[in-house]
Structures are given as structure tokens and as C-alpha cells.
């Protein structure tokens, strides 16, 4: 039996931060120190592309794939019913891990697709009535892969519907076979040495011979050949073709943006107030994807997972700092390029608004507690600018356990 206590609070009324801190770039106003560059090479995406295609050059030495246990992925379906007893065993059998190849093949994503821990599109949750569980925290969902992303294919599921792949972030899992295309050695070499343009706005329309083909979101990149923008597509034989396309000029950039206040404000305005999407659910962003896309337009490729993002650049351990000491240290860090981390969440430090330190992040909710310390959530569910103690005005906010400031364990200054 479920404990029928409401664990998530949905309300039309905003937390105080969202009423007092402008939810647009007017909240940030300090010019970037010209000595604090994100990427010295702003003339091209060459550095970015070199890192982007590293998976086609070297397989990580520590690559040792393993499937998640049933305990890790949970026991509940989308309708709150328990999975059938043999559900997990059937998925593991279909995963076909005994067929893992020692000679993986180069592939590229041709349709935006989900990276899954197991070969299924069906979700799996922990108890949906526990705080922070259930929709949309699908434990099989790992990441959203965008058109053009390189990957390696090691084998296929028994039903041939899924390929087992490795991507740049050292992440591995299953993707739908019809969403990827095989890349020849010659074409792979050409792609690794091409010029590239990056999509700089969400829902950017891509056209082929003036007909709409698809839309791409900020951070996606497309190769340029002889001045023509190319879109990777899967041909009838499952191989990769590149078709000449065009996009609205204002939605693409051919060199990284200069790291300055005007461009930071531009990107914040494009990314703020977007729906939260756990691990790319429904094509939306969680905290790590927001952070990754923010830095991408400045020419810096960072990992997709929050724990790995916390290890980028110059790392400052804050775990032993007291609250006030931690606050003082954060206020001394470079604005717009410092990632603050606590287990499971990252934010970008954006300086101060009315002398209050503020952060930019995609957030699902605020952990709250009742009188007997049962946990529940106030739902934010989007990308926002907040203080370091967002939600402190809510009943149930615990000064130690609800406070993001209290939980911050490290800062990483992206170089």
C-alpha cells in the first residue's frame, strides 16, 4: 500500500526569489573581467571539435560497462503500478551484453534521441509518492543525444531495435537503431577536420531546399563544407549522408561568442524560464544540460553529468567551510564562469543582485519538511535566477537540509 501523503506541492504562487529577482538578464550587470576568458581561441570551434570527437579517437581505458540493478531502476511504471516480475530479466536478456565487441564502429546521431540504461522506452521509477521520485525521474533515462553527436556502437540488442553505444561523456547505454547512422572511416576523418557552426537558439528551424526539415536547440553543432551548412541524415542502408541545409542567420554562430557581459545576458535570456527536463526528458534541460549549453556557445565543451562538471577547471573544496565562510568565498569567485556543486545539482554563479548573491540553474523543486521531518517538495520545474537559499520563505524550509548554500560542497572555475 502507498502512504497517501502528498509529497509534491504544485502551486501558481512563486517563491519569493522569483518575485524579487528579475527573471531575465536585467538581474546581472557586472562586466566580465577581460582577463577571465572561458576559451582563448574565439576564432573557431577547433578546440571544441577536437574534444567533441575524442570518442572516435580513443576509448577510455576505464571503460567497463555494467547494467543497473533492478533496485537501482525502481519497481514502478508510469501508471504507479509495479512492474511485472520478469520485466527486468527480459530487458537484461534483450540487452545482449555477452555480444560486446572489441572493435566498435563509428556512428553519428541523426535524430534527437534518448540514451537509455536499458533497451526500452518504458520508464521505471522509485516509489512515486516519495519526495523527488516518480514522474519525471525515470531511472532508465540517462541523457538526450542531439543530431550530430558522435558515438561508438559495440553491439545490438537481441531484437535489433537498440544499439549499445559509448558517448563522449564516458556515458554508455542504448539508443534506437533508426536514430543513428554508420560513419565510414573516410567520412569520419572529414567530419573531424571540418569547420562547424553551433545552434545558438532553441527551436531553430533547419531547411532543406526551403522546406522545413527539423528544429535544433542551443548547443547542437553542424558541419560546414565549402561554406554550406550540412545536416547528418540516415540513408536507406543505415549509413550517414550529409545534406545541404540552411538556417536563419541569427540562430547560428560560426565562432564561439566572446565572453563578455552582453553575450552572457544574451544567453541567459535565451535559456531562462524553460521547462525542467530530467536527463533531457521531452527534450528539456536539467541543471547539467543547462550548464553545458551555457558554456558551449563560448567555445567550452564540458561533461554532461553534474558530478563531472564539478571537476572542470580550477576546483575549490568548500565541504569544510561554515555557512558564512562559504558565502564569503563564493562572493569572491569569478562571476558567470563558476560552477557551484552539491551532489545531484549544479548552478552557475552570476554575481550579486541588490547585494544578494544569485545563481542561474534549472531546478525541479525545493526540499521541505513537515513537523515530524517527513520530506516533500515545492515544485519550481524550470530554469531560474535565484538566491543561494531559494525557497527560504516557504513553510517547511529547514535551515540546514533545505538550504542549497548549506549543501554546496565545491566550486569549479571553468578555464
Amino acid at each position: 500500500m502507498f502512504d497517501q501523503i502528498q509529497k509534491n506541492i504544485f502551486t501558481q504562487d512563486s517563491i519569493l526569489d522569483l518575485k524579487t529577482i528579475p527573471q531575465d538578464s536585467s538581474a546581472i550587470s557586472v562586466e566580465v573581467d577581460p582577463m577571465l576568458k572561458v576559451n582563448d581561441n574565439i576564432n573557431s570551434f577547433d578546440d571544441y571539435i577536437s574534444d567533441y570527437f575524442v570518442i572516435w579517437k580513443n576509448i577510455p581505458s576505464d571503460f567497463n560497462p555494467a547494467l543497473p540493478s533492478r533496485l537501482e531502476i525502481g519497481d514502478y511504471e508510469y501508471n504507479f503500478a509495479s512492474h511485472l516480475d520478469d520485466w527486468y530479466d527480459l530487458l537484461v536478456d534483450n540487452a545482449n551484453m555477452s555480444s560486446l565487441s572489441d572493435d566498435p564502429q563509428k556512428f553519428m546521431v541523426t535524430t534527437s534521441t534518448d540514451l537509455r540504461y536499458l533497451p526500452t522506452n518504458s520508464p521505471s521509477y522509485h516509489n512515486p509518492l516519495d519526495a523527488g521520485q516518480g514522474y519525471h525521474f525515470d531511472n532508465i533515462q540517462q541523457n538526450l543525444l542531439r543530431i550530430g553527436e558522435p558515438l561508438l556502437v559495440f553491439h545490438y540488442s537481441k531484437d535489433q531495435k537498440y544499439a549499445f553505444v559509448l558517448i563522449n561523456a564516458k556515458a554508455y547505454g542504448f539508443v534506437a537503431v533508426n536514430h543513428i547512422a554508420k560513419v565510414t572511416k573516410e567520412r569520419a576523418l572529414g567530419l573531424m577536420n571540418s569547420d562547424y557552426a553551433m545552434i545558438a537558439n532553441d527551436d531553430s528551424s533547419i531547411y532543406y531546399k526551403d522546406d522545413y526539415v527539423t528544429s535544433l536547440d542551443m548547443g547542437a553543432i553542424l558541419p560546414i563544407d565549402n561554406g554550406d551548412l550540412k545536416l547528418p541524415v540516415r540513408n536507406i542502408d543505415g549509413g550517414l549522408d550529409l545534406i545541404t541545409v540552411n538556417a536563419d542567420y541569427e540562430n547560428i554562430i560560426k565562432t564561439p561568442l566572446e565572453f563578455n557581459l552582453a553575450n552572457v545576458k544574451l544567453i541567459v535570456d535565451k535559456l531562462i524560464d524553460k521547462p525542467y527536463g530530467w536527463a533531457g526528458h521531452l527534450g528539456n534541460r536539467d541543471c547539467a544540460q543547462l550548464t553545458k549549453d551555457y558554456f558551449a556557445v563560448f567555445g567550452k565543451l564540458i561533461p554532461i553529468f553534474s558530478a563531472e562538471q564539478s571537476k572542470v577547471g580550477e576546483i575549490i573544496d568548500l565541504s569544510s567551510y561554515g555557512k558564512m565562510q562559504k558565502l564569503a568565498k563564493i562572493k569572491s569567485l569569478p562571476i558567470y564562469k563558476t560552477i557551484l556543486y552539491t551532489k545531484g545539482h549544479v548552478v552557475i554563479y552570476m554575481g550579486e543582485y541588490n547585494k544578494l548573491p544569485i545563481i542561474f540553474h534549472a531546478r525541479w523543486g525545493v526540499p521541505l519538511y513537515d513537523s515530524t521531518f517527513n520530506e516533500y517538495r515545492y515544485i519550481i520545474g524550470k530554469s531560474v535566477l535565484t538566491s543561494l537559499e531559494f525557497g527560504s520563505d516557504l513553510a517547511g524550509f529547514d535551515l540546514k537540509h533545505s538550504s542549497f548554500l548549506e549543501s554546496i560542497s565545491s566550486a569549479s572555475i571553468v578555464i
Side-chain angles (χ1 to χ4, degrees), residues 110-294:
T110 53
T111 301
S112 292
T113 190
D114 291 328
L115 180 67
R116 308 284 288 167
Y117 283 110
L118 292 167
T120 178
N121 282 328
S122 297
S124 185
Y125 307 111
H126 293 305
N127 189 332
L129 291 182
D130 285 346
Q133 301 299 333
Y135 180 85
H136 49 122
F137 294 95
D138 174 9
N139 296 309
I140 300 180
Q141 175 71 7
Q142 184 172 180
N143 193 13
L144 175 70
L145 304 184
R146 290 176 172 154
I147 292 176
E149 291 201 43
L151 41 77
L152 294 176
V153 169
F154 285 81
H155 73 279
Y156 298 91
S157 59
K158 287 184 176 180
D159 63 9
Q160 298 293 301
K161 293 181 179 180
Y162 292 88
F164 182 79
V165 306
L166 176 67
I167 66 170
N168 268 341
K170 296 183 181 179
Y172 55 83
F174 294 88
V175 299
V177 168
N178 60 348
H179 292 172
I180 60 176
K182 188 174 182 178
V183 183
T184 64
K185 291 182 179 180
E186 181 181 9
R187 175 143 282 171
L189 184 62
L191 286 165
M192 288 188 284
N193 290 282
S194 290
D195 293 326
Y196 280 83
M198 181 174 287
I199 305 300
N201 202 7
D202 283 351
D203 300 317
S204 296
S205 296
I206 304 298
Y207 301 93
Y208 173 67
K209 295 181 178 179
D210 297 326
D211 291 327
Y212 171 83
V213 180
T214 187
S215 64
L216 300 176
D217 287 339
M218 182 185 295
I221 64 170
L222 296 177
I224 299 173
D225 183 31
N226 292 323
D228 293 327
L229 193 66
K230 299 290 185 175
L231 180 72
V233 297
R234 176 184 168 94
N235 62 34
I236 194 170
D237 297 317
L240 181 72
D241 285 341
L242 298 172
I243 62 173
T244 300
V245 295
N246 57 71
D248 293 335
Y249 175 78
E250 65 269 19
N251 289 334
I252 61 173
I253 52 176
K254 295 184 178 180
T255 60
L257 296 180
E258 184 177 349
F259 189 60
N260 58 35
L261 176 61
N263 285 331
V264 169
K265 291 169 75 75
L266 175 71
I267 298 307
V268 167
D269 280 336
K270 289 181 177 181
L271 290 175
I272 201 165
D273 202 35
K274 296 294 182 73
Y276 181 92
W278 164 254
H281 181 64
L282 297 180
N284 296 316
R285 293 181 178 89
D286 60 10
C287 62
Q289 187 68 61
L290 175 76
T291 304
K292 185 176 188 294
D293 290 345
Y294 169 88

Side-chain angles (χ1 to χ4, degrees), residues 137 276 363-367 377-381 390:
F137 294 95
Y276 181 92
R363 184 72 182 192
W364 176 243
V366 182
R377 290 284 188 278
Y378 170 90
I379 305 303
I380 295 175
F390 52 90

